[in-house]
Structures are given as structure tokens and as C-alpha cells.
Amino acid sequence: MAQEAKFKLINYKLSGTITEYLVKLHDEDGEVADYHITDYYNKDINEITSTKIWELSNRIHDVKNDSRLGIKILGFITSEHFYRNDVLESMYVKEMEDKIDSHYEK
């Protein structure tokens, strides 16, 4: 019987406008893969401007953020790392406030 895929946050490091994460995935088939995720922030460190995901193996593979795997990895990191979750929430609130403001400006 196949087991459920599980992620584990191995490590993270904040350095200036960059946060790096190392995540291990144990997939349903028993395979293990490591992923390196980098969040790039604006200069005020209050908005994520870009995110890159790489699978670390004998050659590095780029993982698309909007792929099924990319969405699962980013969802896992967001739930595990308080700061990323807070930043994404504040970005969402700002976006909604901007939409409301633009609606009333019409």
C-alpha cells in the first residue's frame, strides 16, 4: 500500500532580502527528494517579489511555482514558516485594499 507524501522543512536561512528553505519530500512511492526554495523580497522586506524552486539531485531541476508540485511545496513552506505566511497575508490585504480604492475612485 502506498504511503502519503510528506514534506519536512530541514532548514531555512534569512539573509537580507532573501530567504532560503531546504525541504525534503518523501513521496507516495517511497522516493526521497530535496528541494531548495528561495524567496526574493523587496528592499523593505514586506513583499515577496519572486520565488524559485529547484530539485536538488545529481543535476538541478527547476520546478515551476504553478505546477502541482510547486504549489504543494509553497503551500507547505507557507504553513511551516511564520514570516512567509505573514508577508503573503499582508500582500493579499494590500491587494484587496487597492481594489477597493480603485473601485471608489471610478
Side-chain angles (χ1 to χ4, degrees), residues 12-21 37-51 77-78 81-88 90-91:
Y12 70 90
K13 180 175 121 181
L14 298 111
S15 178
T17 58
I18 295 173
T19 302
E20 298 176 285
Y21 308 90
I37 301 91
T38 304
D39 281 336
Y40 300 91
Y41 289 83
N42 64 354
K43 65 182 174 93
D44 296 326
I45 312 174
N46 62 1
E47 188 175 311
I48 298 171
T49 58
S50 179
T51 300
I77 288 175
T78 300
H81 192 258
F82 68 94
Y83 187 71
R84 185 177 209 279
N85 186 42
D86 289 350
V87 168
L88 290 175
S90 69
M91 288 171 60

Side-chain angles (χ1 to χ4, degrees), residues 29 32 35 37-38 47 60 70 84-85 89 93-94:
D29 301 323
V32 177
Y35 295 90
I37 301 91
T38 304
E47 188 175 311
I60 297 174
R84 185 177 209 279
N85 186 42
E89 188 174 312
V93 168
K94 183 181 182 314

